[in-house]
Amino acid sequence: MEVKKVDSKGRIYLGSEFAGKKLYVIRIFDSLFITDSEEKANEIERKKEEFLREGIEKLFDFLGEPSIEEIKGAVERLRKRKFSSIQM
């Protein structure tokens, strides 16, 4: 693993071995996966949706389905949080 710093314009220096190459960037949550293989990028992009869906399904299996009251409570907390910064 390498650690790279992003400059003020959002650029990352990867090294001269990547100069002129076409790179594929896949966003997964708040992360980036970068590869020079279009085949791998397409496969990861396809499997990303399946992985996320399976992960959510496993989480619901573990937690159980939320009740209507839990959903309403979560929505209400979200509304309060979003609108608490707006002052008239």
Side-chain angles (χ1 to χ4, degrees):
M1 175 177 65
E2 295 180 52
V3 177
K4 301 289 183 173
K5 186 172 181 178
V6 179
D7 72 11
S8 62
K9 293 184 180 182
R11 298 176 296 195
I12 302 171
Y13 179 73
L14 298 175
S16 59
E17 67 267 22
F18 292 101
K21 283 190 172 183
K22 189 176 200 177
L23 298 177
Y24 301 89
V25 179
I26 298 99
R27 291 178 183 266
I28 304 173
F29 295 114
D30 292 335
S31 300
L32 301 175
F33 178 79
I34 302 172
T35 181
D36 61 352
S37 168
E38 184 176 9
E39 183 180 323
K40 284 181 186 177
N42 287 329
E43 181 179 348
I44 290 168
E45 192 67 42
R46 281 191 307 272
K47 294 201 180 232
K48 174 176 78 171
E49 298 299 322
E50 180 183 325
F51 171 76
L52 293 174
R53 186 179 60 253
E54 286 177 5
I56 290 170
E57 287 172 0
K58 286 180 183 178
L59 181 61
F60 277 136
D61 287 344
F62 175 74
L63 296 175
E65 293 291 328
S67 68
I68 298 295
E69 292 77 26
E70 289 173 318
I71 294 170
K72 286 180 181 178
V75 170
E76 187 60 32
R77 286 190 303 275
L78 180 61
R79 283 184 184 156
K80 285 180 182 177
R81 194 172 352 144
K82 277 190 169 187
F83 295 112
S84 66
S85 63
I86 299 174
Q87 296 178 6
M88 301 266 180

